[in-house]
Amino acid sequence: MRLKEIQRTAHQAWSPASHHPIYLALGTSAQQLDASFNTTAALEIFEMDFADPSLDMKISNTSVFFRLHSIVWVNFGLGADGTGGRLVSGSENGAITVYNVEAILESAADAVVGQSDKHTGPVRALDFNPFQSNLLASGANDSEIYIWDLNNFNNPMTPGAKSQPAEDISVVSWNRQVQHILASANPSGKAVVWDLRKNEPIIKISDHSNRMHCSGMLWHPEVATQLVLASEDDRMPVIQMWDLRFATSPLKVLENHTRGILSISWSQADPETLAEQRKGQPYPVLEPTTQESCPPSTSGASIVQWCPRNPALLSTASFDGKISSSVDKISSSFDNMDPFGMGQTLPPLQVPQPTAQTTIVPPLKKPPKWVRRPVGASFAFGGKLSPQPVPRQVFVSQVTTETEFLQRSRELQAALQAGTFVHYCQAKIQSAPCDAEQDIWKFLMVNFEDEARVKFLRLLGFSKDELERKVGRRFWGFVFILIFIIDAELLIGVNVNYQRLTMFEDFKMPGEELPAQWTRSGHTDGLISQALLVGNFEGAVDLCLNDGRYAEAILLSISGGEELLKKTQQRYLDTQKNSISMLISSVVTQNWRDIVQSCELDNWKEALAALLTYAHPEEFAPLCDTLGGRLETEGTEKRSLQACLCYICSGNLEKLVECWAVQRDCSSPLVLEDLVEKVMILRKSIERLRNSEVPLQSPTLAEKLTCYAGLLAAEGSLATAMTYLPDNSDQVSGTGLWSLVPDNYTPPTPITAPVMGFQGDAGQHHDHAQVPPGAPQEPSVQVGVLKPYRDFNCTSSTLLQLLQQLPAERVEQREIPAEHMILKSTFDSLVQRCQLAAADPQTKRKLEDAAKRLGYLYDKLREQSLSPSILGGLHEISRCVGGQNYQRGLEVHTQVVGSSNFSEISAFMPILKVVMTIANKLGV
C-alpha cells in the first residue's frame, strides 16, 4: 500500500534507526532527465508524517552543484536525542560531500561540513561501517576505493592495491558482523573481499559464465561469510548467494526472474526477506532460503530500500517515472515544429505499449519477522517459559498459575519435614469449610495422640458412662454374670437359694410374661439335685434349660467345663430374639463381624463404637474397613464421608483414596491437594504407630500422587514433586503424563498480552567491540520469575527418570544400510589415524570435534535422507581417502558442496574437509 509519493528522479537514503521522526533524503540523480530537461540539482529531506492520510510530505532542502550517483545517511554526529547525523553524497564529478542534517532541516547556509574530490570519476558506491559510524567506504572508476574518517576527512586510506584490470566500482559494502571486512563489486560480476587489517584482498569471487552484470551486492545480516550478488543482465537475471567458505561456486541461485534485477535491499529486521527490483516490473519480496515471493506492488521502481527504523516500510525510486505521461511531456516540448529544418513537422511519436503480463505469485508460507508475534515462547518441563523477545537471547522464566495450590503444598511439606502434625491438623480444623471436613481432621489428629480409641469414642459422641446408659443395665449385668468365675464348691453340696439365682427375671423385657413351664415344682428340683450329686452337670443343665431356669443352667455349665458353657450360652442365645440380643451375642461370642455386616447403617456410630471398645487389634482394621465398605456402597456423599472416618480409624490409605476420589473431581489441583493432605497425614500417623515407613502399594494412590507430582513439577516445585513419586513407575497406568492429568482439566486463561519487564532484569551481557548498534547480541540465558499451562508429553516413567536422574531408557538405533557402512569405517579410520599422528593440542581438539560431528552424517545415513548425488560424492571421497589421494578428495568435496543444498550437508561436510586437510598434512 502506498503511503507517500512525490515526483522526483533521485537517489534516496532513510534516516538511521535511532532517528525520530522518520525522514527520507532525496538527491537528484545523475544521468537522468525529467520531461522539463531541468539540469538543476537539490538535496531534499522529507518528513514521514503517517498520521496525515495524504500522499504529500513535508520538505526541507538545500541546493547542490552536481547531481548524485549515491547517497547515504550516517548516524555519525547524532544529537543527544538521536536526531541529526550526516548525509554523504557521491557526485558525477568525483566529489564526495558531507552535509549536516540539522543544518538542512533548519535551512541554514552552512550545511556542507566536508568535501573532497579525491576520486577521478563518478562516485557510484557509498557505505558506512555499522560498527564505527565515522568510517565511510566509497568506490569510483578505475578500481578506486577509499576509506574515509569523518573525523579527519582530508586523508582517506585505501584497502590495498587496486585490483587489475581496472574497472568501475559499482558497489561497496561493509560486513554486518566483522568490522574490518569490506567487499567491493564491479559491473562485470567480480567481487573482492578486503581485510583492512592487512590492507589486502583475501578472496575474489566471480561468475564463471562471464555474463553477469552486477547491479547490487549485500552482506547477509547475520551470517558473516555469506553475501548476495544481483545481475541486471537480461541474459542472466539471477541473484547469487555466495558462502566464502565454499567460494568455488554460488551456494544458491535465485533464478525465477524474466528480466534483470536493478537493485536489491536486504531487510535488517528479517534476514530471510530480500527486496528486489526487476526491470520493467514492480518489485517483489523474496525469501532466499525458499525462493518464494510475495505479491508485487502496483508501481514500477529502479531503486528499493528498507526503512531502518520501521521494518514494514519500503521506499522505491523510479528513474523513468510513468512511461506514458513522461513520453507525452517530452513530445510536447517540441510543439510539433520543424526542429531539424527539414520543412516537415514532427510526426506523432509512436510509443510501444508494454504487454501486460499476468504473474501468479504463491503466498508466503510465513510472514516477515516484523509482522510475527513480538515475543515467541516455548513451554518446557518444570513450568519453564522461554520467550525470545530479542534475537539470540533466551529468557528462562518460572511461570505459576496455581498460587493457592502451591502455598498449601508448601505448608504441607513444611509440616511433613518438621513433624508438626498436630499443629497442622489444628490449623486445618480451624479453616475447615464445613462440619464434615472438621470431623475428618479431628479423626486424623487423634491418630497422633495417646489412647486414640477412647478419643475416637468421644468424637463419636460416646463416653464409657454414656455407653453403659445406652446399652442398658441388663447388658452390663449379663456380661458380669458371664465373666464371673464361681468356685465349684459353691455349686456342689449346698442348697442353692432359688430366689437369689433368678436374676434372669430382671432381664425380661417390660410386659413379657414368664413361660408356663417355669413352675417351681419339686419334681424338677429333685432331678436337678440328683444329677448334681452324681456329677452329671450336662444333665442338670438340660433340666434347668427345659424348665426355663437359664441362670441356673449358665452357672452349672461353668463347672461342667468350657465346652458345656459354650453349648449352654448358644442354646440360650438361640431362644432370645429381642432388640439387644445381637449385641449380647456378639459380646459373649466375640463375633463382631455379624454386627458390622447386619446393623442398620443409621447406627454406624454405635457399631464403630462397639469395635473401638471390644475388637481385638488384629480384627479392628478389617472390621472398620467392612463397615466403611457398607457405608460407601450407598453412593451418597454423606455416607462416603462416614466411610472415610472408618478408613481413617483403620489406617487404610488405599480405601481412603478410592472413597474420596469417587465423590470428587480430582482434576482440580485444589481438590487433589485436599486428598494428598489427608493421605500424607494419615500415612505419618500409621508410620508413628508402626515405627516404620509405610509403602504406597495401591495403583490408584500411586496414580493420584504421580498426578500431584506432575502438577507440582508444572509449577516449578521439582524437588517437592520428587518426594511424591512412587518407588516403582509400573504402579502408574497410562501412556503419558496427560493420562495423569484428567481429560476434563480446564487450564488457566492463556497469556495473550505481551510479557513485559524482560529487559530490566536481563542479567549481565558481554560487550564486544565489534557488535554494531542494534545488531544481534551473543546468546545469553536469563532467569526471571514467571508459568505456563503444563505442556508435558512424556510417560510417567520418563517423568521419574527426569526428576530422579535415573538412566534414560535406551533407544535402539537403526543400522546404517550395508552399502553405506564403508563410509563410516573409512572416515572413522581416517580420524583415528590422524589422532595417533597428531602432536599439537589444537589439531587433537579438531579431531575430537570431527569424531562427534561425523555422527550427523551417520544419522542421515541411518535415516536414508541424503540425495543420490550427495551419496555418490561421499563414496567417491571415501575411495580417495582409501587411496590416500586427499587432493582429489578435496576436489570432489568442493564439487559436492557446490551442487548441493547447503542446509542438507552443513552439519558434516565442513568437518570432513578439515579431516582430509589434516590427513594430507600429516601424511597418514
Side-chain angles (χ1 to χ4, degrees), residues 372-671:
R372 301 175 197 170
R373 278 191 173 187
V375 177
S378 299
F379 294 108
F381 177 77
K384 295 298 187 293
L385 171 65
S386 300
Q388 192 172 355
V390 180
R392 296 188 180 181
Q393 289 190 359
V394 178
F395 297 84
V396 180
S397 308
Q398 182 65 52
V399 182
T400 58
T401 58
E402 303 294 345
T403 54
E404 183 180 354
F405 169 79
L406 272 183
Q407 179 61 29
R408 288 176 57 179
S409 174
R410 294 189 188 104
E411 293 173 356
L412 173 61
Q413 193 67 11
L416 294 176
Q417 293 176 352
T420 56
F421 307 118
V422 174
H423 176 74
Y424 181 81
C425 291
Q426 289 173 343
K428 300 300 290 186
I429 292 170
Q430 294 175 0
S431 61
C434 61
D435 293 340
E437 188 76 5
Q438 279 189 349
D439 291 340
I440 289 178
W441 282 108
K442 287 177 181 178
F443 270 67
L444 288 169
M445 185 175 68
V446 164
N447 279 319
F448 295 98
E449 300 176 352
D450 297 330
E451 298 183 351
R453 284 200 180 188
V454 176
K455 294 180 179 179
F456 278 137
L457 283 171
R458 291 175 184 170
L459 290 176
L460 289 171
F462 300 103
S463 65
K464 182 177 181 181
D465 296 336
E466 186 176 359
L467 187 59
E468 288 179 359
R469 180 180 60 80
K470 286 191 174 184
V471 174
R473 177 175 60 84
R474 292 175 295 174
F475 169 73
W476 289 107
F478 189 68
V479 173
F480 171 77
I481 292 174
L482 293 176
I483 66 175
F484 186 76
I485 306 300
I486 303 176
D487 194 285
E489 293 179 356
L490 297 178
L491 298 177
I492 301 176
V494 299
N495 290 324
V496 180
N497 188 331
Y498 182 82
Q499 296 298 328
R500 295 179 59 192
L501 294 179
T502 54
M503 294 174 60
F504 187 75
E505 292 184 0
D506 296 334
F507 299 98
K508 67 186 181 72
M509 297 300 293
E512 183 181 0
E513 296 295 330
L514 292 174
Q517 64 268 26
W518 284 28
T519 59
R520 296 164 176 77
S521 64
H523 177 71
T524 303
D525 290 346
L527 291 175
I528 293 173
S529 298
Q530 291 178 16
L532 290 175
L533 289 174
V534 297
N536 187 356
F537 291 102
E538 184 174 356
V541 169
D542 287 340
L543 290 169
C544 291
L545 290 173
N546 292 333
D547 199 30
R549 301 179 183 184
Y550 296 109
E552 289 94 331
I554 292 174
L555 289 174
L556 291 173
S557 66
I558 293 174
S559 298
E562 182 179 355
E563 183 178 353
L564 180 59
L565 176 61
K566 290 183 178 180
K567 180 180 179 181
T568 304
Q569 289 174 346
Q570 189 61 47
R571 287 184 63 182
Y572 166 75
L573 294 172
D574 289 343
T575 64
Q576 303 302 307
K577 300 299 180 183
N578 52 49
S579 59
I580 64 169
S581 59
M582 182 180 293
L583 178 59
I584 294 174
S585 176
S586 297
V587 172
V588 172
T589 63
Q590 294 295 299
N591 182 12
W592 294 104
R593 185 166 297 279
D594 289 343
I595 287 285
V596 169
Q597 291 179 343
S598 58
C599 71
E600 294 290 336
L601 291 182
D602 288 339
N603 298 326
W604 72 273
K605 285 187 177 182
E606 285 77 4
L608 183 57
L611 296 179
L612 289 166
T613 304
Y614 294 107
H616 295 297
E618 63 273 12
E619 298 177 328
F620 177 72
L623 290 172
C624 286
D625 290 343
T626 302
L627 180 59
R630 287 191 62 202
L631 292 166
E632 191 178 350
T633 54
E634 286 211 351
T636 65
E637 184 178 1
K638 177 182 177 181
R639 293 299 190 210
S640 295
L641 290 172
Q642 295 166 355
C644 288
L645 295 180
C646 295
Y647 297 142
I648 291 174
C649 291
S650 68
N652 194 325
L653 293 172
E654 292 77 12
K655 287 287 187 179
L656 177 62
V657 172
E658 293 172 2
C659 180
W660 185 270
V662 167
Q663 294 294 330
R664 287 163 181 80
D665 181 12
C666 290
S667 63
S668 167
L670 293 180
V671 174

Side-chain angles (χ1 to χ4, degrees), residues 43 45 62 73-74 76-79 83-88 97-114:
L43 182 60
I45 299 179
T62 185
W73 193 324
V74 188
F76 174 79
L78 289 177
T83 61
R86 299 289 185 266
L87 275 171
V88 183
T97 309
V98 182
Y99 300 89
N100 187 327
V101 172
E102 291 291 343
I104 298 177
L105 293 175
E106 297 171 359
S107 300
D110 54 349
V112 177
V113 295

Side-chain angles (χ1 to χ4, degrees), residues 222 268-271 369 374 388-395 759 774-780:
E222 292 183 357
Q268 300 301 304
D270 184 358
K369 281 188 176 180
Q388 192 172 355
V390 180
R392 296 188 180 181
Q393 289 190 359
V394 178
F395 297 84
Q759 301 293 345
Q777 303 294 319
E778 290 293 327
S780 63

Side-chain angles (χ1 to χ4, degrees), residues 818-890:
E819 63 270 21
H820 301 318
M821 281 298 296
I822 186 63
L823 298 178
K824 185 176 189 302
S825 59
T826 300
F827 296 150
D828 285 348
S829 175
L830 178 62
V831 173
Q832 292 171 3
R833 295 201 307 270
C834 292
Q835 288 176 329
L836 293 174
D840 62 293
Q842 183 178 4
T843 302
K844 290 183 177 180
R845 285 195 297 270
K846 288 182 179 180
L847 292 170
E848 289 175 359
D849 180 59
K852 297 176 183 178
R853 293 179 61 183
L854 283 174
Y856 294 113
L857 168 61
Y858 306 148
D859 288 341
K860 287 186 175 292
L861 292 175
R862 293 185 183 96
E863 298 166 0
Q864 301 185 26
S865 60
L866 295 176
S867 64
S869 60
I870 294 177
L871 289 172
L874 289 172
H875 279 280
E876 180 64 25
I877 293 174
S878 174
R879 287 189 286 271
C880 294
V881 170
Q884 296 186 349
N885 188 355
Y886 300 117
Q887 195 62 39
R888 173 58 184 164
L890 290 171

Side-chain angles (χ1 to χ4, degrees), residues 137-354:
S138 63
N141 293 350
D142 297 327
S143 299
E144 288 183 349
I145 301 176
Y146 289 116
I147 309 298
W148 306 82
D149 185 350
L150 297 184
N151 291 313
N152 184 12
F153 197 65
N154 296 324
N155 297 308
M157 60 169 285
T158 61
K162 290 183 178 181
S163 58
Q164 297 296 329
E167 290 189 72
D168 294 345
I169 302 297
S170 57
V171 187
V172 291
S173 179
W174 291 96
N175 192 283
R176 315 308 295 180
Q177 300 294 321
V178 185
Q179 67 174 357
H180 58 269
I181 297 298
L182 175 74
S184 62
N186 312 73
S188 63
K190 298 177 181 178
V192 180
V193 179
W194 306 83
D195 188 340
L196 299 189
R197 296 179 304 179
K198 302 176 181 179
N199 271 42
E200 64 180 19
I202 56 175
I203 193 171
K204 297 180 180 180
I205 58 177
S206 62
D207 179 69
H208 300 300
S209 65
N210 294 322
R211 292 185 300 164
M212 185 171 182
H213 192 277
C214 182
S215 59
M217 177 185 65
L218 295 170
W219 287 100
H220 194 289
E222 292 183 357
V223 183
T225 60
Q226 292 183 4
L227 55 79
V228 294
L229 294 173
S231 171
E232 64 174 333
D233 195 327
D234 291 344
R235 299 173 300 170
M236 191 178 182
V238 297
I239 295 178
Q240 297 177 342
M241 177 180 287
W242 292 79
D243 193 313
L244 302 184
R245 295 169 294 182
F246 312 102
T248 55
S249 61
L251 178 65
K252 185 185 293 293
V253 179
L254 308 183
E255 298 178 320
N256 57 340
H257 307 85
T258 56
R259 299 192 62 186
I261 297 95
L262 296 176
S263 68
I264 53 176
S265 180
W266 210 324
S267 171
Q268 300 301 304
D270 184 358
E272 296 182 352
T273 304
L274 182 74
E276 65 171 31
Q277 169 54 38
R278 307 173 189 175
K279 287 183 180 179
Q281 296 181 7
Y283 66 87
V285 178
L286 300 179
E287 293 188 7
T289 57
T290 62
Q291 292 191 217
E292 296 174 347
S293 60
C294 77
S297 71
T298 58
S299 61
S302 295
I303 298 178
V304 60
Q305 282 191 14
W306 293 101
C307 175
R309 184 176 181 87
N310 186 338
L313 289 180
L314 192 68
S315 65
T316 62
S318 174
F319 289 161
D320 55 2
K322 296 179 180 178
I323 296 177
S324 60
S325 60
S326 296
V327 170
D328 288 344
K329 289 183 180 179
I330 296 174
S331 179
S332 63
S333 299
F334 293 92
D335 294 328
N336 289 337
M337 61 182 180
D338 180 8
F340 307 110
M342 302 296 293
Q344 297 178 353
T345 60
L346 190 66
L349 184 61
Q350 300 297 322
V351 180
Q353 297 297 325

Side-chain angles (χ1 to χ4, degrees), residues 56-77:
D56 299 332
M57 297 181 285
K58 300 178 182 178
I59 182 173
S60 299
N61 65 13
T62 185
S63 297
V64 294
F65 295 102
F66 300 99
R67 294 191 168 205
L68 310 181
H69 278 285
S70 54
I71 183 174
V72 292
W73 193 324
V74 188
N75 57 8
F76 174 79

